[in-house]
Amino acid sequence: MPDPVPQMSADGGPAAARFDVAVIGGGVNGTGVARDLAIRGLSVVLFERHDLAFGASGNSSGMIHGGPRYLLGNPSVTKSSCLDSGYIQRIAPHLLFRIPFLVPMKKGTRGRVMLELYDAFFRAYDDFQPLKRGELHTRLDANDLARLEPGLVGSIVGGVTFDEWGVDGARLCVMNAIDARERGAKVHVHTTVESIAKAPPEDASDRQPLYALVARDTMTGKSTRVHARVVVNASGAWGPITAALGGLRATRVKIRPAKGIHVAFDRRLSNYAILTEAIDGRQIFLEPWQNISVVGTTDDDYYGDLDDVVPTSEEVRYLIQGVARIFPSIATARAIGTWAAVRPTLYRWGPNEDRLSRDHAVIDHAPDGAPNVYSMIGGKLASYRLFAQEMSDRIAETLAPSSKCSTHARPLPGGDEVPDAVVIARDAEITPVAARRLVYRQGSRAARIVERVKRNPREGAVVCACEPVILAEVRHAVAEEMARSIEDVARRTRLGLGACGGMRCAARCGQILAEEMGWTPREALSDARRFLTRQAKMRVVAMGPEQARQEALALAQMRAMLGTKNPS
Ligand SMILES: Cc1cc2nc3c(=O)[nH]c(=O)nc-3n(C[C@H](O)[C@H](O)[C@H](O)COP(=O)(O)OP(=O)(O)OC[C@H]3O[C@@H](n4cnc5c(N)ncnc54)[C@H](O)[C@@H]3O)c2cc1C
């Protein structure tokens, strides 16, 4: 740990603000811990280098699942995921949606044997289903499967069903962060922690260590200094890099980063999610998710840039090839984008990536000379709350010994009641589809957006037709949910992530941000350009040549309209 830093800033500015706990990372683990500790009454500051959910949490497969895959090697992971899934349903009922899965088996001896094995396996998984309000599995014959999912082809002997839950991971993080902030936590987005050092004690009798963190706002360049009793490194795959900022032994924050990608399609292509195998025997899936379809996922050791994880066309082809074998219409369906992220998996040398444990661990840095500094590694969206509780219980031992975790019982913002979308549609005078999506994202807080529309009916106008998203929700994302760019609004509302890739809404969204944040028209245009360029980069790897040519043309035209001569 580096030497103490002075309490006054170098320019003689004010002393650093003082907190009980500083959390680094605005993924599901960081925001989960910040919320838990804020509820317990501790003062918390959270720094997120990009936007909330920028990393794995906002780019996962979006499932609050029990992880049947881990039942054989890691049953405790299955149990904790199922248990926490039940709690997450209770605190965010609006954000979770059922995803029933089909597992079809091809005809032949192997198919028949596999059907018996899967049937027996899911019988064991059934024991965990009540924890998460899941239906028990069912065995199906070929006729059942053909009736339920007409898109399935080939000679199929039968299959099984199992039940999971989907979630919008980005909103889950945003809701945790908002709740933490409403309970007094200070949340800095687009602010990267650049150093962690021991601070001099505030008075000579103080035996507790104090840490000084310096963070920089990447949009304004402004630096912030804070002091904290406890530091939590919840920076996921960045964990070892963040630990190095504090001079901590990197070998103690050991992860095996693994990249996973997904391909998005413009609509729900199947009635059910379908689990199948890729060419190498790995499990992959097609799932209806919100109002799109998603194919995922890969799992490959990753050594690249964590701040710019981009799928390749080879990864896309690997997934589509696997799904097309059993659901051929996927090959001609309209892909509208991809996303990718890096799993902060617990380290082990040797096994293939998808055989690695999905368990989580807290690293205590006291042996590195930094007591009260912790790193959280591994884990899952599905068990984030439990992981946050474990971390918070540990911190509370010294800072709030009489406190108890209550995050399993207290609703996340909007989770106290799920309003009727028909009533919301009538009150805001918006279409039932727009109302339904609004209720999904906002739960009871949809009422706040309706209030905005009632005050100013022009805010009922649709900004993004694909999702759809209305003007009031964009303004709400900036005013109440810490969005600072079009990409941030997209993460919170899915604006621009549909079929048009933002072509029809990015410029308008930029104008709204300009009004909300005092940007100049030029700043709004350059943010729209940035968003569209990023979208094009994530879409092009999944497109056929014709669609890619057409989109390149449309993008060039859009850039010309937005005032760039060189569409590079
Ligand atoms: C492809 C894929 C699919 C997955 N699917 C599922 C699933 O369906 N269900 C499930 O339960 N789990 C799933 N997971 C696992 C799950 O997403 C992760 O385990 C979980 O999101 C990790 O959360 P985290 O908060 O630790 O990390 P992250 O979400 O990656 O957050 C870390 C954050 O730290 C920030 N940061 C980094 N350095 C700094 C710094 N110096 N200062 C400030 N901030 C910093 C980053 O910007 C980032 O936002 C999946 C993971 C992947 C990659």
Side-chain angles (χ1 to χ4, degrees), residues 39-60:
I39 291 175
R40 294 181 200 228
L42 294 176
S43 61
V44 179
V45 61
L46 181 144
F47 295 104
E48 164 51 52
R49 176 190 187 87
H50 299 280
D51 183 23
L52 300 168
F54 172 89
S57 305
N59 294 286
S60 75

PDB file of all heavy atoms in Angstrom, residues 39-60:
ATOM      1  N   ILE A  39     -28.561   1.010   3.390  1.00  0.00           N
ATOM      2  CA  ILE A  39     -29.756   0.659   4.181  1.00  0.00           C
ATOM      3  C   ILE A  39     -29.379   0.477   5.647  1.00  0.00           C
ATOM      4  O   ILE A  39     -30.136   0.813   6.555  1.00  0.00           O
ATOM      5  CB  ILE A  39     -30.430  -0.622   3.625  1.00  0.00           C
ATOM      6  CG1 ILE A  39     -31.058  -0.350   2.262  1.00  0.00           C
ATOM      7  CG2 ILE A  39     -31.496  -1.152   4.587  1.00  0.00           C
ATOM      8  CD1 ILE A  39     -31.651  -1.577   1.575  1.00  0.00           C
ATOM      9  N   ARG A  40     -28.163  -0.041   5.893  1.00  0.00           N
ATOM     10  CA  ARG A  40     -27.735  -0.263   7.285  1.00  0.00           C
ATOM     11  C   ARG A  40     -27.308   1.032   7.979  1.00  0.00           C
ATOM     12  O   ARG A  40     -26.873   1.027   9.125  1.00  0.00           O
ATOM     13  CB  ARG A  40     -26.561  -1.243   7.321  1.00  0.00           C
ATOM     14  CG  ARG A  40     -26.925  -2.644   6.858  1.00  0.00           C
ATOM     15  CD  ARG A  40     -25.718  -3.541   6.952  1.00  0.00           C
ATOM     16  NE  ARG A  40     -25.841  -4.725   6.119  1.00  0.00           N
ATOM     17  CZ  ARG A  40     -25.583  -5.963   6.539  1.00  0.00           C
ATOM     18  NH1 ARG A  40     -25.204  -6.171   7.771  1.00  0.00           N
ATOM     19  NH2 ARG A  40     -25.685  -6.985   5.722  1.00  0.00           N
ATOM     20  N   GLY A  41     -27.354   2.133   7.210  1.00  0.00           N
ATOM     21  CA  GLY A  41     -27.065   3.436   7.816  1.00  0.00           C
ATOM     22  C   GLY A  41     -25.620   3.879   7.690  1.00  0.00           C
ATOM     23  O   GLY A  41     -25.224   4.895   8.276  1.00  0.00           O
ATOM     24  N   LEU A  42     -24.804   3.158   6.924  1.00  0.00           N
ATOM     25  CA  LEU A  42     -23.406   3.584   6.759  1.00  0.00           C
ATOM     26  C   LEU A  42     -23.309   4.616   5.634  1.00  0.00           C
ATOM     27  O   LEU A  42     -24.134   4.616   4.713  1.00  0.00           O
ATOM     28  CB  LEU A  42     -22.528   2.378   6.430  1.00  0.00           C
ATOM     29  CG  LEU A  42     -22.410   1.346   7.562  1.00  0.00           C
ATOM     30  CD1 LEU A  42     -21.595   0.140   7.127  1.00  0.00           C
ATOM     31  CD2 LEU A  42     -21.761   1.980   8.790  1.00  0.00           C
ATOM     32  N   SER A  43     -22.286   5.481   5.714  1.00  0.00           N
ATOM     33  CA  SER A  43     -22.108   6.448   4.631  1.00  0.00           C
ATOM     34  C   SER A  43     -21.230   5.797   3.559  1.00  0.00           C
ATOM     35  O   SER A  43     -20.174   5.234   3.857  1.00  0.00           O
ATOM     36  CB  SER A  43     -21.494   7.742   5.160  1.00  0.00           C
ATOM     37  OG  SER A  43     -20.223   7.487   5.709  1.00  0.00           O
ATOM     38  N   VAL A  44     -21.715   5.876   2.327  1.00  0.00           N
ATOM     39  CA  VAL A  44     -21.092   5.113   1.237  1.00  0.00           C
ATOM     40  C   VAL A  44     -20.840   6.032   0.049  1.00  0.00           C
ATOM     41  O   VAL A  44     -21.674   6.888  -0.272  1.00  0.00           O
ATOM     42  CB  VAL A  44     -22.051   3.971   0.779  1.00  0.00           C
ATOM     43  CG1 VAL A  44     -21.435   3.175  -0.368  1.00  0.00           C
ATOM     44  CG2 VAL A  44     -22.387   3.042   1.943  1.00  0.00           C
ATOM     45  N   VAL A  45     -19.693   5.836  -0.609  1.00  0.00           N
ATOM     46  CA  VAL A  45     -19.459   6.495  -1.895  1.00  0.00           C
ATOM     47  C   VAL A  45     -19.152   5.401  -2.906  1.00  0.00           C
ATOM     48  O   VAL A  45     -18.445   4.438  -2.588  1.00  0.00           O
ATOM     49  CB  VAL A  45     -18.329   7.555  -1.806  1.00  0.00           C
ATOM     50  CG1 VAL A  45     -16.990   6.955  -1.391  1.00  0.00           C
ATOM     51  CG2 VAL A  45     -18.168   8.296  -3.135  1.00  0.00           C
ATOM     52  N   LEU A  46     -19.738   5.514  -4.103  1.00  0.00           N
ATOM     53  CA  LEU A  46     -19.480   4.505  -5.150  1.00  0.00           C
ATOM     54  C   LEU A  46     -18.937   5.216  -6.382  1.00  0.00           C
ATOM     55  O   LEU A  46     -19.453   6.259  -6.785  1.00  0.00           O
ATOM     56  CB  LEU A  46     -20.776   3.764  -5.501  1.00  0.00           C
ATOM     57  CG  LEU A  46     -20.643   2.661  -6.564  1.00  0.00           C
ATOM     58  CD1 LEU A  46     -21.583   1.486  -6.250  1.00  0.00           C
ATOM     59  CD2 LEU A  46     -20.911   3.134  -7.980  1.00  0.00           C
ATOM     60  N   PHE A  47     -17.877   4.638  -6.958  1.00  0.00           N
ATOM     61  CA  PHE A  47     -17.308   5.175  -8.199  1.00  0.00           C
ATOM     62  C   PHE A  47     -17.476   4.157  -9.316  1.00  0.00           C
ATOM     63  O   PHE A  47     -17.119   2.988  -9.138  1.00  0.00           O
ATOM     64  CB  PHE A  47     -15.810   5.467  -8.030  1.00  0.00           C
ATOM     65  CG  PHE A  47     -15.526   6.557  -7.044  1.00  0.00           C
ATOM     66  CD1 PHE A  47     -15.045   6.255  -5.778  1.00  0.00           C
ATOM     67  CD2 PHE A  47     -15.748   7.884  -7.380  1.00  0.00           C
ATOM     68  CE1 PHE A  47     -14.786   7.260  -4.857  1.00  0.00           C
ATOM     69  CE2 PHE A  47     -15.487   8.898  -6.460  1.00  0.00           C
ATOM     70  CZ  PHE A  47     -15.002   8.596  -5.197  1.00  0.00           C
ATOM     71  N   GLU A  48     -17.977   4.603 -10.437  1.00  0.00           N
ATOM     72  CA  GLU A  48     -18.066   3.739 -11.622  1.00  0.00           C
ATOM     73  C   GLU A  48     -17.319   4.428 -12.764  1.00  0.00           C
ATOM     74  O   GLU A  48     -17.640   5.552 -13.136  1.00  0.00           O
ATOM     75  CB  GLU A  48     -19.532   3.477 -11.992  1.00  0.00           C
ATOM     76  CG  GLU A  48     -19.752   2.924 -13.385  1.00  0.00           C
ATOM     77  CD  GLU A  48     -18.911   1.698 -13.748  1.00  0.00           C
ATOM     78  OE1 GLU A  48     -18.905   0.718 -12.987  1.00  0.00           O
ATOM     79  OE2 GLU A  48     -18.236   1.735 -14.812  1.00  0.00           O
ATOM     80  N   ARG A  49     -16.346   3.711 -13.311  1.00  0.00           N
ATOM     81  CA  ARG A  49     -15.453   4.246 -14.345  1.00  0.00           C
ATOM     82  C   ARG A  49     -16.197   4.668 -15.622  1.00  0.00           C
ATOM     83  O   ARG A  49     -15.896   5.689 -16.236  1.00  0.00           O
ATOM     84  CB  ARG A  49     -14.495   3.113 -14.681  1.00  0.00           C
ATOM     85  CG  ARG A  49     -13.503   3.295 -15.767  1.00  0.00           C
ATOM     86  CD  ARG A  49     -12.909   1.911 -15.992  1.00  0.00           C
ATOM     87  NE  ARG A  49     -11.806   1.855 -16.888  1.00  0.00           N
ATOM     88  CZ  ARG A  49     -10.539   2.051 -16.534  1.00  0.00           C
ATOM     89  NH1 ARG A  49     -10.236   2.367 -15.301  1.00  0.00           N
ATOM     90  NH2 ARG A  49      -9.577   1.941 -17.403  1.00  0.00           N
ATOM     91  N   HIS A  50     -17.196   3.876 -16.034  1.00  0.00           N
ATOM     92  CA  HIS A  50     -17.979   4.221 -17.236  1.00  0.00           C
ATOM     93  C   HIS A  50     -19.382   4.570 -16.757  1.00  0.00           C
ATOM     94  O   HIS A  50     -19.568   5.541 -16.084  1.00  0.00           O
ATOM     95  CB  HIS A  50     -17.994   3.039 -18.210  1.00  0.00           C
ATOM     96  CG  HIS A  50     -16.634   2.646 -18.691  1.00  0.00           C
ATOM     97  ND1 HIS A  50     -15.980   3.311 -19.695  1.00  0.00           N
ATOM     98  CD2 HIS A  50     -15.783   1.653 -18.304  1.00  0.00           C
ATOM     99  CE1 HIS A  50     -14.789   2.751 -19.900  1.00  0.00           C
ATOM    100  NE2 HIS A  50     -14.654   1.753 -19.070  1.00  0.00           N
ATOM    101  N   ASP A  51     -20.338   3.706 -17.137  1.00  0.00           N
ATOM    102  CA  ASP A  51     -21.708   3.898 -16.657  1.00  0.00           C
ATOM    103  C   ASP A  51     -22.051   2.701 -15.788  1.00  0.00           C
ATOM    104  O   ASP A  51     -21.421   1.635 -15.896  1.00  0.00           O
ATOM    105  CB  ASP A  51     -22.662   3.965 -17.862  1.00  0.00           C
ATOM    106  CG  ASP A  51     -24.108   4.230 -17.450  1.00  0.00           C
ATOM    107  OD1 ASP A  51     -24.328   4.778 -16.359  1.00  0.00           O
ATOM    108  OD2 ASP A  51     -25.012   3.895 -18.245  1.00  0.00           O
ATOM    109  N   LEU A  52     -23.067   2.832 -14.945  1.00  0.00           N
ATOM    110  CA  LEU A  52     -23.572   1.687 -14.180  1.00  0.00           C
ATOM    111  C   LEU A  52     -23.846   0.553 -15.169  1.00  0.00           C
ATOM    112  O   LEU A  52     -24.369   0.798 -16.266  1.00  0.00           O
ATOM    113  CB  LEU A  52     -24.875   2.077 -13.479  1.00  0.00           C
ATOM    114  CG  LEU A  52     -24.764   3.240 -12.485  1.00  0.00           C
ATOM    115  CD1 LEU A  52     -26.153   3.734 -12.086  1.00  0.00           C
ATOM    116  CD2 LEU A  52     -23.965   2.831 -11.251  1.00  0.00           C
ATOM    117  N   ALA A  53     -23.455  -0.665 -14.814  1.00  0.00           N
ATOM    118  CA  ALA A  53     -23.738  -1.862 -15.641  1.00  0.00           C
ATOM    119  C   ALA A  53     -22.962  -1.893 -16.949  1.00  0.00           C
ATOM    120  O   ALA A  53     -23.316  -2.645 -17.853  1.00  0.00           O
ATOM    121  CB  ALA A  53     -25.240  -1.988 -15.923  1.00  0.00           C
ATOM    122  N   PHE A  54     -21.914  -1.085 -17.047  1.00  0.00           N
ATOM    123  CA  PHE A  54     -21.123  -1.074 -18.287  1.00  0.00           C
ATOM    124  C   PHE A  54     -20.453  -2.429 -18.545  1.00  0.00           C
ATOM    125  O   PHE A  54     -20.267  -2.849 -19.678  1.00  0.00           O
ATOM    126  CB  PHE A  54     -20.035   0.011 -18.177  1.00  0.00           C
ATOM    127  CG  PHE A  54     -19.045  -0.023 -19.308  1.00  0.00           C
ATOM    128  CD1 PHE A  54     -19.284   0.701 -20.473  1.00  0.00           C
ATOM    129  CD2 PHE A  54     -17.875  -0.766 -19.226  1.00  0.00           C
ATOM    130  CE1 PHE A  54     -18.382   0.664 -21.529  1.00  0.00           C
ATOM    131  CE2 PHE A  54     -16.969  -0.800 -20.267  1.00  0.00           C
ATOM    132  CZ  PHE A  54     -17.225  -0.083 -21.423  1.00  0.00           C
ATOM    133  N   GLY A  55     -20.102  -3.144 -17.490  1.00  0.00           N
ATOM    134  CA  GLY A  55     -19.339  -4.397 -17.636  1.00  0.00           C
ATOM    135  C   GLY A  55     -20.238  -5.607 -17.785  1.00  0.00           C
ATOM    136  O   GLY A  55     -21.267  -5.567 -18.485  1.00  0.00           O
ATOM    137  N   ALA A  56     -19.868  -6.699 -17.107  1.00  0.00           N
ATOM    138  CA  ALA A  56     -20.589  -7.965 -17.262  1.00  0.00           C
ATOM    139  C   ALA A  56     -22.063  -7.832 -16.887  1.00  0.00           C
ATOM    140  O   ALA A  56     -22.933  -8.448 -17.517  1.00  0.00           O
ATOM    141  CB  ALA A  56     -19.931  -9.041 -16.395  1.00  0.00           C
ATOM    142  N   SER A  57     -22.355  -7.004 -15.872  1.00  0.00           N
ATOM    143  CA  SER A  57     -23.725  -6.968 -15.358  1.00  0.00           C
ATOM    144  C   SER A  57     -24.741  -6.467 -16.380  1.00  0.00           C
ATOM    145  O   SER A  57     -25.896  -6.891 -16.362  1.00  0.00           O
ATOM    146  CB  SER A  57     -23.796  -6.087 -14.107  1.00  0.00           C
ATOM    147  OG  SER A  57     -22.865  -6.535 -13.160  1.00  0.00           O
ATOM    148  N   GLY A  58     -24.325  -5.576 -17.257  1.00  0.00           N
ATOM    149  CA  GLY A  58     -25.250  -5.061 -18.268  1.00  0.00           C
ATOM    150  C   GLY A  58     -25.133  -5.795 -19.590  1.00  0.00           C
ATOM    151  O   GLY A  58     -25.829  -5.456 -20.551  1.00  0.00           O
ATOM    152  N   ASN A  59     -24.259  -6.775 -19.656  1.00  0.00           N
ATOM    153  CA  ASN A  59     -24.030  -7.462 -20.936  1.00  0.00           C
ATOM    154  C   ASN A  59     -24.024  -8.977 -20.766  1.00  0.00           C
ATOM    155  O   ASN A  59     -23.316  -9.693 -21.476  1.00  0.00           O
ATOM    156  CB  ASN A  59     -22.695  -6.991 -21.540  1.00  0.00           C
ATOM    157  CG  ASN A  59     -22.758  -5.530 -21.934  1.00  0.00           C
ATOM    158  OD1 ASN A  59     -23.378  -5.189 -22.917  1.00  0.00           O
ATOM    159  ND2 ASN A  59     -22.142  -4.674 -21.134  1.00  0.00           N
ATOM    160  N   SER A  60     -24.799  -9.436 -19.818  1.00  0.00           N
ATOM    161  CA  SER A  60     -24.863 -10.870 -19.537  1.00  0.00           C
ATOM    162  C   SER A  60     -25.976 -11.495 -20.382  1.00  0.00           C
ATOM    163  O   SER A  60     -26.554 -10.840 -21.251  1.00  0.00           O
ATOM    164  CB  SER A  60     -25.163 -11.079 -18.058  1.00  0.00           C
ATOM    165  OG  SER A  60     -26.523 -10.795 -17.822  1.00  0.00           O
TER     166      SER A  60
END
